[in-house]
Amino acid sequence: MHTVALVLVGLVAALHAYFLVLEMFLWQRPPGRALSGFDADTARLTAPLAANQGLYNGFLAAGLVWGLVIGSLATQVFFLVCVIVAGVFGAATANRRILLAQALPGALALAAALAAA
């Protein structure tokens, strides 16, 4: 179970690194626009907001990687809870898909990490 937990935490970290790239660097290009559903003008206008959002996703990824590297369950739990809270808030305020794309993977990784402890 320990290996499953580590893999799931790593996958959540990778997912948030991917969100960073989409939101900071590809927001105005086809992958970012497909994610947001925005036309070119709206994507251009919202790019600074998306970049800020991407930076926060990068912090979540970095925290999860840090927790894996130092082998700290407490660090992993803290950042996974942050991922879940961000996913629930995003689903409530922006798009329900965020619940499945962010909160669910975080919750699965958290459950696995706690079960492995």
XYZ file of all heavy atoms in Angstrom:
849
model
N 0.831 -1.205 0.000
C 0.000 0.000 0.000
C 0.866 1.257 0.000
O 0.460 2.281 -0.559
C -0.932 -0.041 1.220
C -1.966 1.037 1.229
S -3.034 0.856 -0.203
C -4.220 2.085 0.072
N 2.025 1.157 0.624
C 2.930 2.310 0.696
C 3.338 2.758 -0.707
O 3.330 3.974 -0.999
C 4.158 1.952 1.539
C 5.123 3.080 1.692
N 4.833 4.203 2.443
C 6.353 3.278 1.178
C 5.853 5.036 2.387
N 6.787 4.492 1.627
N 3.649 1.809 -1.572
C 4.055 2.146 -2.947
C 2.899 2.785 -3.709
O 3.095 3.769 -4.433
C 4.554 0.892 -3.688
O 5.648 0.335 -2.942
C 5.004 1.218 -5.089
N 1.698 2.269 -3.525
C 0.514 2.843 -4.182
C 0.333 4.291 -3.739
O 0.069 5.179 -4.560
C -0.749 2.004 -3.874
C -2.014 2.710 -4.339
C -0.638 0.632 -4.498
N 0.487 4.535 -2.443
C 0.329 5.894 -1.921
C 1.364 6.829 -2.523
O 1.026 7.948 -2.948
C 0.441 5.889 -0.393
N 2.614 6.385 -2.580
C 3.668 7.229 -3.154
C 3.401 7.536 -4.622
O 3.595 8.671 -5.072
C 5.037 6.554 -2.989
C 5.545 6.396 -1.561
C 6.872 5.629 -1.554
C 5.693 7.735 -0.871
N 2.947 6.531 -5.350
C 2.641 6.730 -6.774
C 1.487 7.722 -6.937
O 1.551 8.638 -7.773
C 2.326 5.391 -7.466
C 1.717 5.603 -8.851
C 3.586 4.535 -7.560
N 0.442 7.579 -6.123
C -0.702 8.492 -6.230
C -0.318 9.920 -5.861
O -0.728 10.871 -6.542
C -1.863 8.006 -5.365
C -2.581 6.754 -5.873
C -3.650 6.300 -4.884
C -3.191 6.985 -7.244
N 0.469 10.084 -4.817
C 0.931 11.432 -4.454
C 1.771 12.004 -5.598
O 1.612 13.176 -5.968
C 1.716 11.415 -3.119
C 2.345 12.776 -2.848
C 0.797 11.025 -1.966
N 2.636 11.188 -6.179
C 3.439 11.637 -7.323
C 2.590 12.020 -8.517
O 2.874 13.006 -9.209
N 1.535 11.262 -8.755
C 0.637 11.585 -9.872
C -0.101 12.899 -9.635
O -0.291 13.689 -10.567
C -0.348 10.446 -10.116
C 0.236 9.188 -10.751
C -0.800 8.065 -10.780
C 0.758 9.473 -12.150
N -0.519 13.141 -8.401
C -1.183 14.411 -8.090
C -0.196 15.562 -8.283
O -0.551 16.612 -8.827
C -1.785 14.401 -6.665
C -2.311 15.777 -6.282
C -2.906 13.368 -6.575
N 1.053 15.362 -7.872
C 2.082 16.393 -8.088
C 2.272 16.646 -9.586
O 2.335 17.800 -10.026
C 3.399 15.977 -7.438
N 2.360 15.573 -10.364
C 2.534 15.719 -11.816
C 1.330 16.422 -12.443
O 1.485 17.261 -13.339
C 2.746 14.353 -12.455
N 0.138 16.091 -11.979
C -1.074 16.735 -12.480
C -1.028 18.240 -12.234
O -1.347 19.039 -13.126
C -2.293 16.116 -11.794
C -3.665 16.583 -12.227
C -3.922 16.243 -13.685
C -4.728 15.928 -11.348
N -0.576 18.646 -11.057
C -0.511 20.072 -10.753
C 0.630 20.767 -11.500
O 0.503 21.949 -11.842
C -0.460 20.295 -9.241
C -1.817 20.130 -8.658
N -2.377 18.898 -8.423
C -2.760 21.035 -8.334
C -3.606 19.065 -7.971
N -3.858 20.354 -7.906
N 1.691 20.051 -11.786
C 2.740 20.615 -12.647
C 2.180 20.837 -14.062
O 2.468 21.851 -14.706
C 3.960 19.699 -12.672
N 1.355 19.909 -14.516
C 0.699 20.051 -15.815
C -0.245 21.251 -15.815
O -0.277 22.029 -16.770
C -0.050 18.758 -16.146
C -0.859 18.807 -17.415
C -0.231 18.913 -18.657
C -2.250 18.731 -17.385
C -0.979 18.948 -19.833
C -2.992 18.757 -18.547
C -2.345 18.872 -19.767
O -3.090 18.908 -20.921
N -1.007 21.426 -14.726
C -1.871 22.604 -14.615
C -1.043 23.883 -14.681
O -1.454 24.861 -15.308
C -2.672 22.588 -13.313
C -3.698 21.490 -13.196
C -4.128 21.078 -11.945
C -4.241 20.876 -14.306
C -5.082 20.075 -11.812
C -5.182 19.875 -14.189
C -5.608 19.473 -12.935
N 0.113 23.883 -14.030
C 1.005 25.049 -14.072
C 1.352 25.393 -15.519
O 1.233 26.544 -15.931
C 2.281 24.783 -13.268
C 3.354 25.870 -13.333
C 4.087 25.960 -12.014
C 4.345 25.614 -14.448
N 1.769 24.394 -16.276
C 2.162 24.627 -17.672
C 0.975 25.140 -18.487
O 1.099 26.112 -19.240
C 2.763 23.344 -18.292
C 2.973 23.495 -19.792
C 4.083 22.988 -17.599
N -0.168 24.493 -18.333
C -1.360 24.930 -19.081
C -1.736 26.374 -18.761
O -2.022 27.164 -19.661
C -2.549 24.024 -18.755
C -2.700 22.746 -19.539
C -3.869 21.936 -18.999
C -2.883 23.012 -21.013
N -1.749 26.709 -17.480
C -2.246 28.013 -17.074
C -1.220 29.129 -17.218
O -1.592 30.273 -17.498
C -2.754 27.925 -15.632
C -3.966 27.031 -15.525
C -4.345 26.645 -14.109
O -3.538 26.851 -13.172
O -5.464 26.127 -13.936
N 0.051 28.811 -17.064
C 1.066 29.866 -17.148
C 1.600 30.065 -18.565
O 1.950 31.187 -18.934
C 2.231 29.561 -16.207
C 1.854 29.680 -14.737
S 3.272 29.587 -13.645
C 3.888 31.280 -13.803
N 1.700 28.987 -19.329
C 2.397 29.073 -20.615
C 1.534 28.755 -21.828
O 1.875 29.155 -22.936
C 3.622 28.153 -20.598
C 4.538 28.425 -19.442
C 4.652 27.530 -18.399
C 5.257 29.609 -19.380
C 5.491 27.795 -17.316
C 6.090 29.887 -18.304
C 6.207 28.978 -17.271
N 0.448 28.019 -21.646
C -0.356 27.601 -22.798
C -1.778 28.146 -22.774
O -2.622 27.718 -23.548
C -0.412 26.060 -22.855
C 0.927 25.352 -22.988
C 0.739 23.846 -22.927
C 1.634 25.763 -24.266
N -2.050 29.099 -21.887
C -3.412 29.604 -21.714
C -4.006 30.176 -22.997
O -5.190 29.984 -23.285
C -3.426 30.661 -20.614
C -4.807 31.050 -20.187
C -5.440 32.229 -20.442
C -5.719 30.261 -19.425
N -6.689 32.224 -19.879
C -6.890 31.025 -19.246
C -5.664 28.982 -18.874
C -7.994 30.550 -18.546
C -6.759 28.516 -18.170
C -7.895 29.300 -18.023
N -3.192 30.868 -23.778
C -3.696 31.506 -24.994
C -3.532 30.629 -26.233
O -3.909 31.034 -27.327
C -2.988 32.845 -25.208
C -3.277 33.833 -24.089
C -2.611 35.160 -24.324
O -2.925 35.835 -25.297
N -1.699 35.537 -23.436
N -2.991 29.454 -26.060
C -2.792 28.505 -27.164
C -3.878 27.435 -27.113
O -4.628 27.354 -26.150
C -1.400 27.902 -27.060
C -0.342 28.975 -27.238
C 1.014 28.392 -27.370
N 1.953 29.483 -27.653
C 3.199 29.452 -27.291
N 3.696 28.418 -26.652
N 3.987 30.463 -27.598
N -3.960 26.596 -28.135
C -5.054 25.607 -28.191
C -5.247 24.750 -26.928
O -6.392 24.591 -26.481
C -4.700 24.759 -29.416
C -3.996 25.735 -30.318
C -3.180 26.607 -29.381
N -4.192 24.223 -26.289
C -4.464 23.398 -25.103
C -5.113 24.194 -23.960
O -6.054 23.711 -23.318
C -3.083 22.892 -24.674
C -2.208 23.046 -25.869
C -2.767 24.205 -26.633
N -4.635 25.391 -23.721
C -5.208 26.227 -22.669
C -6.605 26.701 -23.007
O -7.491 26.748 -22.146
N -6.799 27.063 -24.255
C -8.131 27.527 -24.672
C -9.137 26.388 -24.654
O -10.308 26.596 -24.342
C -8.062 28.189 -26.038
C -7.324 29.538 -25.913
C -7.338 30.423 -27.119
N -8.600 30.446 -27.811
C -8.688 30.532 -29.127
N -7.617 30.613 -29.885
N -9.862 30.573 -29.706
N -8.688 25.164 -24.942
C -9.587 24.015 -24.856
C -9.984 23.761 -23.406
O -11.131 23.423 -23.119
C -8.918 22.778 -25.440
N -9.042 23.960 -22.501
C -9.328 23.789 -21.080
C -10.358 24.807 -20.600
O -11.327 24.466 -19.933
C -8.040 23.921 -20.258
C -8.204 23.878 -18.746
C -8.585 22.468 -18.302
C -6.932 24.331 -18.066
N -10.149 26.063 -20.958
C -11.017 27.131 -20.464
C -12.290 27.290 -21.290
O -13.305 27.750 -20.772
C -10.264 28.466 -20.459
O -9.993 28.878 -21.788
N -12.220 26.970 -22.572
C -13.346 27.207 -23.465
C -13.449 28.657 -23.912
O -14.453 29.071 -24.482
N -12.382 29.441 -23.649
C -12.399 30.862 -23.984
C -12.002 31.092 -25.437
O -11.189 30.361 -25.997
C -11.419 31.638 -23.108
C -11.819 31.726 -21.652
C -10.862 31.903 -20.674
C -13.143 31.638 -21.252
C -11.211 31.995 -19.338
C -13.508 31.725 -19.919
C -12.530 31.901 -18.963
N -12.547 32.160 -26.013
C -12.081 32.586 -27.325
C -10.742 33.304 -27.134
O -10.290 33.525 -26.007
C -13.117 33.477 -28.018
C -13.430 34.755 -27.248
O -12.545 35.289 -26.544
O -14.569 35.241 -27.359
N -10.106 33.669 -28.239
C -8.763 34.263 -28.174
C -8.732 35.547 -27.353
O -7.801 35.764 -26.569
C -8.231 34.513 -29.590
N -9.733 36.394 -27.512
C -9.751 37.661 -26.771
C -9.920 37.447 -25.269
O -9.228 38.076 -24.463
C -10.868 38.580 -27.290
C -10.551 39.153 -28.657
O -9.348 39.270 -28.993
O -11.499 39.477 -29.391
N -10.822 36.564 -24.897
C -11.028 36.304 -23.474
C -9.796 35.640 -22.871
O -9.397 35.953 -21.744
C -12.275 35.439 -23.262
O -13.392 36.087 -23.880
C -12.564 35.220 -21.791
N -9.177 34.729 -23.614
C -7.952 34.076 -23.131
C -6.855 35.113 -22.907
O -6.137 35.072 -21.897
C -7.494 33.012 -24.122
N -6.745 36.071 -23.828
C -5.734 37.123 -23.683
C -6.015 37.977 -22.452
O -5.113 38.284 -21.672
C -5.697 38.001 -24.942
C -4.639 39.098 -24.908
C -4.669 39.954 -26.168
N -5.994 40.423 -26.535
C -6.648 41.427 -25.940
N -6.112 42.070 -24.934
N -7.841 41.797 -26.360
N -7.269 38.324 -22.251
C -7.631 39.164 -21.111
C -7.478 38.456 -19.765
O -7.184 39.087 -18.756
C -9.076 39.662 -21.262
C -9.311 40.672 -22.383
C -10.804 40.925 -22.567
C -8.567 41.968 -22.107
N -7.687 37.155 -19.755
C -7.615 36.403 -18.499
C -6.265 35.746 -18.263
O -6.070 35.113 -17.223
C -8.713 35.324 -18.454
O -8.527 34.427 -19.552
C -10.107 35.938 -18.492
N -5.328 35.917 -19.197
C -4.021 35.264 -19.065
C -3.293 35.612 -17.762
O -2.718 34.714 -17.137
C -3.150 35.576 -20.282
N -3.300 36.869 -17.303
C -2.624 37.135 -16.024
C -3.272 36.401 -14.845
O -2.567 35.936 -13.944
C -2.766 38.655 -15.854
C -2.946 39.184 -17.242
C -3.736 38.122 -17.953
N -4.586 36.282 -14.848
C -5.265 35.533 -13.795
C -4.910 34.053 -13.867
O -4.667 33.401 -12.840
C -6.776 35.715 -13.901
C -7.309 37.127 -13.729
C -8.793 37.183 -14.069
C -7.060 37.622 -12.328
N -4.884 33.519 -15.068
C -4.542 32.102 -15.247
C -3.102 31.841 -14.817
O -2.810 30.810 -14.210
C -4.756 31.687 -16.703
N -2.202 32.759 -15.128
C -0.801 32.585 -14.732
C -0.674 32.564 -13.214
O 0.082 31.751 -12.651
C 0.056 33.693 -15.333
N -1.407 33.416 -12.543
C -1.393 33.419 -11.079
C -1.924 32.090 -10.538
O -1.346 31.492 -9.629
C -2.230 34.589 -10.563
C -2.131 34.752 -9.076
O -1.046 34.865 -8.519
N -3.267 34.761 -8.411
N -2.990 31.623 -11.120
C -3.576 30.338 -10.737
C -2.584 29.207 -10.995
O -2.439 28.285 -10.178
C -4.848 30.141 -11.563
C -5.706 28.988 -11.194
C -7.014 29.072 -11.964
O -7.857 29.905 -11.680
N -7.164 28.206 -12.940
N -1.887 29.271 -12.120
C -0.884 28.268 -12.442
C 0.259 28.253 -11.450
O 0.771 27.188 -11.081
N 0.653 29.429 -11.002
C 1.727 29.521 -10.018
C 1.323 28.801 -8.731
O 2.113 28.054 -8.151
C 2.069 30.981 -9.742
C 3.233 31.227 -8.794
C 4.520 30.668 -9.365
C 3.364 32.713 -8.522
N 0.098 29.000 -8.292
C -0.377 28.312 -7.092
C -0.392 26.797 -7.294
O -0.044 26.040 -6.385
C -1.764 28.807 -6.681
C -1.735 30.182 -6.083
C -2.253 31.278 -6.760
C -1.157 30.388 -4.832
C -2.208 32.542 -6.205
C -1.106 31.659 -4.269
C -1.638 32.726 -4.960
O -1.585 33.983 -4.415
N -0.779 26.348 -8.474
C -0.729 24.914 -8.753
C 0.708 24.403 -8.709
O 0.964 23.289 -8.261
C -1.376 24.599 -10.104
C -2.877 24.511 -9.981
O -3.398 23.789 -9.150
N -3.584 25.267 -10.804
N 1.644 25.234 -9.152
C 3.048 24.862 -9.062
C 3.510 24.721 -7.627
O 4.293 23.825 -7.288
N 3.023 25.600 -6.740
C 3.365 25.490 -5.319
C 2.817 24.191 -4.731
O 3.478 23.551 -3.905
C 2.839 26.682 -4.529
C 3.550 27.973 -4.819
C 2.846 29.166 -4.881
C 4.928 28.019 -5.025
C 3.492 30.366 -5.131
C 5.578 29.211 -5.281
C 4.862 30.391 -5.340
N 1.621 23.807 -5.135
C 1.061 22.541 -4.663
C 1.915 21.371 -5.138
O 2.223 20.464 -4.354
C -0.390 22.383 -5.128
C -1.395 23.356 -4.518
C -2.759 23.211 -5.195
C -1.513 23.139 -3.020
N 2.304 21.398 -6.404
C 3.163 20.330 -6.934
C 4.489 20.287 -6.187
O 4.962 19.213 -5.802
C 3.395 20.537 -8.437
N 5.096 21.456 -5.970
C 6.386 21.509 -5.276
C 6.259 20.979 -3.849
O 7.139 20.246 -3.371
C 6.916 22.941 -5.264
N 5.191 21.331 -3.171
C 4.990 20.845 -1.807
C 4.827 19.337 -1.751
O 5.370 18.675 -0.859
N 4.101 18.780 -2.709
C 3.929 17.334 -2.749
C 5.250 16.625 -3.050
O 5.577 15.614 -2.427
C 2.860 16.954 -3.780
C 1.438 17.344 -3.385
C 0.490 17.188 -4.567
C 0.959 16.532 -2.191
N 6.010 17.161 -3.982
C 7.310 16.584 -4.293
C 8.229 16.680 -3.080
O 8.938 15.720 -2.739
C 7.950 17.251 -5.538
C 9.401 16.838 -5.712
C 7.138 16.921 -6.787
N 8.207 17.808 -2.419
C 9.004 17.988 -1.205
C 8.630 16.927 -0.162
O 9.493 16.290 0.450
C 8.801 19.400 -0.665
C 9.497 19.718 0.617
C 10.782 19.381 0.975
C 8.956 20.433 1.716
N 11.057 19.858 2.229
C 9.952 20.515 2.715
C 7.728 21.031 1.948
C 9.752 21.155 3.916
C 7.534 21.686 3.158
C 8.538 21.733 4.119
N 7.334 16.728 0.041
C 6.878 15.713 0.984
C 7.348 14.318 0.616
O 7.689 13.515 1.482
N 7.381 14.027 -0.679
C 7.882 12.721 -1.130
C 9.386 12.601 -0.910
O 9.870 11.573 -0.439
C 7.542 12.504 -2.611
C 6.075 12.272 -2.943
C 5.861 12.301 -4.455
C 5.578 10.960 -2.349
N 10.116 13.637 -1.249
C 11.583 13.598 -1.152
C 12.039 13.434 0.298
O 12.943 12.646 0.582
C 12.214 14.858 -1.795
C 13.686 14.982 -1.453
C 12.016 14.832 -3.306
N 11.406 14.166 1.207
C 11.843 14.083 2.600
C 11.128 12.963 3.353
O 11.434 12.706 4.524
C 11.686 15.426 3.350
C 10.218 15.829 3.488
C 12.506 16.513 2.680
C 9.991 17.043 4.381
N 10.187 12.299 2.684
C 9.481 11.183 3.301
C 8.576 11.593 4.444
O 8.402 10.832 5.394
N 7.991 12.774 4.335
C 7.147 13.295 5.408
C 5.669 13.107 5.096
O 5.123 13.783 4.215
C 7.438 14.784 5.622
O 6.482 15.352 6.492
N 5.031 12.212 5.841
C 3.597 12.017 5.678
C 2.838 13.295 6.014
O 1.890 13.663 5.325
C 3.109 10.866 6.567
C 1.602 10.615 6.539
C 1.136 10.192 5.144
C 1.217 9.580 7.582
N 3.266 13.999 7.058
C 2.585 15.230 7.460
C 2.602 16.266 6.336
O 1.598 16.932 6.082
C 3.222 15.804 8.729
N 3.728 16.396 5.663
C 3.838 17.352 4.547
C 2.935 16.924 3.396
O 2.234 17.749 2.801
C 5.297 17.479 4.091
O 6.086 17.889 5.202
C 5.443 18.475 2.949
N 2.944 15.640 3.091
C 2.086 15.137 2.024
C 0.616 15.376 2.360
O -0.152 15.831 1.502
C 2.336 13.653 1.797
C 3.716 13.344 1.246
C 4.021 11.864 1.259
O 3.143 11.054 0.987
N 5.256 11.515 1.568
N 0.234 15.082 3.600
C -1.157 15.271 4.022
C -1.539 16.744 3.919
O -2.611 17.085 3.399
C -1.389 14.724 5.452
C -2.719 15.196 6.014
C -1.310 13.206 5.453
N -0.675 17.629 4.400
C -0.980 19.059 4.336
C -1.251 19.496 2.899
O -2.268 20.138 2.611
C 0.168 19.888 4.929
C -0.031 21.366 4.732
C -0.899 22.069 5.551
C 0.626 22.041 3.713
C -1.105 23.437 5.359
C 0.425 23.399 3.511
C -0.438 24.097 4.338
N -0.345 19.152 1.977
C -0.513 19.609 0.598
C -1.661 18.898 -0.108
O -2.342 19.499 -0.946
C 0.806 19.510 -0.171
C 1.735 20.638 0.155
C 2.748 20.479 1.087
C 1.567 21.886 -0.418
C 3.587 21.532 1.421
C 2.396 22.946 -0.089
C 3.412 22.766 0.832
N -1.922 17.644 0.226
C -3.084 16.969 -0.357
C -4.386 17.594 0.124
O -5.326 17.751 -0.657
C -3.044 15.469 -0.034
C -1.984 14.684 -0.797
C -1.841 13.284 -0.206
C -2.291 14.616 -2.288
N -4.446 17.984 1.384
C -5.638 18.678 1.875
C -5.792 20.015 1.149
O -6.911 20.403 0.778
C -5.594 18.845 3.414
C -6.674 19.799 3.899
C -5.731 17.490 4.101
N -4.682 20.716 0.932
C -4.748 21.969 0.163
C -5.287 21.721 -1.241
O -6.107 22.492 -1.748
C -3.360 22.618 0.083
S -2.770 23.315 1.629
N -4.842 20.640 -1.877
C -5.322 20.276 -3.215
C -6.830 20.035 -3.179
O -7.576 20.515 -4.043
C -4.574 19.023 -3.735
C -5.292 18.386 -4.910
C -3.142 19.367 -4.105
N -7.281 19.295 -2.182
C -8.711 18.970 -2.076
C -9.535 20.231 -1.840
O -10.568 20.443 -2.496
C -8.944 17.929 -0.968
C -8.277 16.604 -1.353
C -10.439 17.730 -0.705
C -8.117 15.636 -0.190
N -9.092 21.078 -0.931
C -9.816 22.323 -0.651
C -9.874 23.195 -1.909
O -10.932 23.734 -2.256
C -9.187 23.085 0.532
C -9.753 24.488 0.660
C -9.381 22.302 1.825
N -8.746 23.315 -2.614
C -8.723 24.101 -3.850
C -9.667 23.501 -4.888
O -10.378 24.233 -5.592
C -7.300 24.184 -4.398
N -9.711 22.178 -4.978
C -10.604 21.518 -5.931
C -12.071 21.720 -5.599
O -12.888 21.982 -6.482
N -12.408 21.615 -4.328
C -13.799 21.822 -3.904
C -14.195 23.279 -4.140
O -15.285 23.565 -4.667
C -13.996 21.413 -2.433
C -15.347 21.858 -1.910
C -13.832 19.901 -2.285
N -13.319 24.210 -3.778
C -13.623 25.622 -3.987
C -13.767 25.933 -5.481
O -14.690 26.639 -5.894
C -12.537 26.501 -3.358
C -12.835 27.964 -3.454
C -13.735 28.559 -2.590
C -12.227 28.757 -4.423
C -14.032 29.909 -2.679
C -12.512 30.103 -4.524
C -13.423 30.683 -3.652
N -12.850 25.400 -6.283
C -12.932 25.617 -7.728
C -14.210 25.049 -8.324
O -14.828 25.659 -9.194
N -14.614 23.887 -7.838
C -15.855 23.278 -8.331
C -17.061 24.111 -7.933
O -18.010 24.253 -8.703
C -15.993 21.861 -7.791
N -17.022 24.685 -6.740
C -18.152 25.486 -6.254
C -18.230 26.847 -6.935
O -19.319 27.394 -7.099
C -18.055 25.672 -4.743
N -17.082 27.400 -7.327
C -17.071 28.773 -7.835
C -16.796 28.908 -9.325
O -17.116 29.939 -9.900
C -16.022 29.612 -7.085
O -14.728 29.029 -7.296
C -16.327 29.672 -5.600
N -16.194 27.902 -9.939
C -15.802 28.058 -11.338
C -16.410 26.991 -12.249
O -17.147 27.311 -13.180
C -14.281 28.049 -11.462
N -16.089 25.712 -11.983
C -16.520 24.652 -12.887
C -16.553 23.334 -12.119
O -15.555 22.965 -11.490
C -15.558 24.556 -14.067
C -16.046 23.633 -15.148
O -16.557 22.555 -14.878
N -15.870 24.053 -16.396
N -17.632 22.629 -12.197
C -17.779 21.371 -11.457
C -16.751 20.322 -11.869
O -16.445 19.419 -11.088
C -19.182 20.815 -11.631
C -20.213 21.610 -10.889
C -21.547 20.933 -10.965
N -22.571 21.829 -10.440
C -23.838 21.543 -10.416
N -24.258 20.395 -10.888
N -24.696 22.399 -9.926
N -16.229 20.414 -13.086
C -15.221 19.441 -13.539
C -13.987 19.453 -12.655
O -13.270 18.462 -12.573
C -14.791 19.733 -14.982
C -15.860 19.464 -16.021
C -15.340 19.739 -17.402
N -14.808 21.109 -17.468
C -14.183 21.623 -18.503
N -13.979 20.897 -19.573
N -13.751 22.864 -18.477
N -13.733 20.576 -11.992
C -12.556 20.699 -11.135
C -12.635 19.701 -9.982
O -11.606 19.203 -9.514
C -12.389 22.152 -10.642
C -12.142 23.074 -11.832
C -11.268 22.268 -9.620
C -12.186 24.557 -11.495
N -13.836 19.366 -9.567
C -13.995 18.382 -8.501
C -13.390 17.039 -8.920
O -12.685 16.395 -8.137
C -15.475 18.226 -8.159
C -15.813 17.507 -6.866
C -15.265 18.256 -5.657
C -17.315 17.351 -6.738
N -13.639 16.638 -10.158
C -13.107 15.370 -10.653
C -11.635 15.463 -11.043
O -10.879 14.514 -10.856
C -13.920 14.893 -11.860
C -15.372 14.543 -11.584
C -16.091 14.192 -12.878
C -15.478 13.413 -10.588
N -11.236 16.596 -11.586
C -9.862 16.738 -12.084
C -8.855 17.024 -10.983
O -7.683 16.685 -11.124
C -9.811 17.852 -13.133
N -9.300 17.643 -9.889
C -8.360 18.058 -8.853
C -8.683 17.444 -7.496
O -7.817 16.826 -6.876
C -8.332 19.580 -8.747
C -7.306 20.098 -7.757
C -7.211 21.611 -7.782
O -8.083 22.309 -8.288
N -6.131 22.128 -7.236
N -9.893 17.621 -7.024
C -10.225 17.168 -5.668
C -10.238 15.645 -5.560
O -9.724 15.096 -4.581
C -11.567 17.744 -5.233
N -10.809 14.955 -6.534
C -10.888 13.497 -6.463
C -9.507 12.844 -6.452
O -9.244 12.005 -5.579
C -11.757 12.942 -7.589
C -11.899 11.420 -7.603
C -12.551 10.916 -6.318
C -12.699 10.987 -8.826
N -8.591 13.197 -7.376
C -7.257 12.602 -7.288
C -6.565 12.908 -5.960
O -5.894 12.053 -5.382
C -6.497 13.219 -8.471
C -7.551 13.624 -9.424
C -8.731 14.024 -8.582
N -6.743 14.125 -5.464
C -6.161 14.484 -4.175
C -6.725 13.644 -3.044
O -5.995 13.186 -2.165
N -8.036 13.426 -3.068
C -8.683 12.629 -2.026
C -8.244 11.167 -2.085
O -8.007 10.539 -1.043
C -10.208 12.740 -2.157
N -8.110 10.636 -3.292
C -7.637 9.251 -3.431
C -6.205 9.103 -2.921
O -5.885 8.131 -2.219
C -7.737 8.802 -4.894
C -9.150 8.659 -5.453
C -9.105 8.370 -6.946
C -9.922 7.582 -4.710
N -5.350 10.066 -3.261
C -3.971 10.025 -2.780
C -3.914 10.184 -1.266
O -3.133 9.497 -0.587
C -3.138 11.116 -3.461
N -4.755 11.055 -0.727
C -4.787 11.252 0.729
C -5.240 9.969 1.416
O -4.626 9.545 2.416
C -5.719 12.406 1.080
C -5.894 12.684 2.581
C -4.574 13.059 3.227
C -6.925 13.788 2.793
N -6.281 9.353 0.913
C -6.764 8.105 1.509
C -5.688 7.027 1.472
O -5.470 6.308 2.460
C -8.031 7.640 0.793
N -4.989 6.917 0.348
C -3.929 5.913 0.225
C -2.778 6.215 1.173
O -2.229 5.309 1.815
C -3.438 5.842 -1.216
N -2.390 7.491 1.267
C -1.287 7.865 2.154
C -1.627 7.576 3.606
O -0.791 7.056 4.361
C -0.944 9.351 1.967
N -2.847 7.880 4.010
C -3.255 7.638 5.390
C -3.394 6.135 5.669
O -3.040 5.651 6.747
C -4.549 8.373 5.706
C -4.437 9.898 5.744
C -5.810 10.530 5.918
C -3.461 10.364 6.824
N -3.893 5.396 4.687
C -4.030 3.948 4.849
C -2.669 3.267 4.949
O -2.510 2.268 5.648
C -4.832 3.354 3.700
N -1.692 3.809 4.247
C -0.348 3.224 4.254
C 0.410 3.541 5.532
O 1.395 2.874 5.855
C 0.443 3.715 3.044
N -0.040 4.563 6.242
C 0.715 5.014 7.444
C 0.592 4.060 8.573
O 0.018 3.393 9.093
C 0.220 6.383 7.882
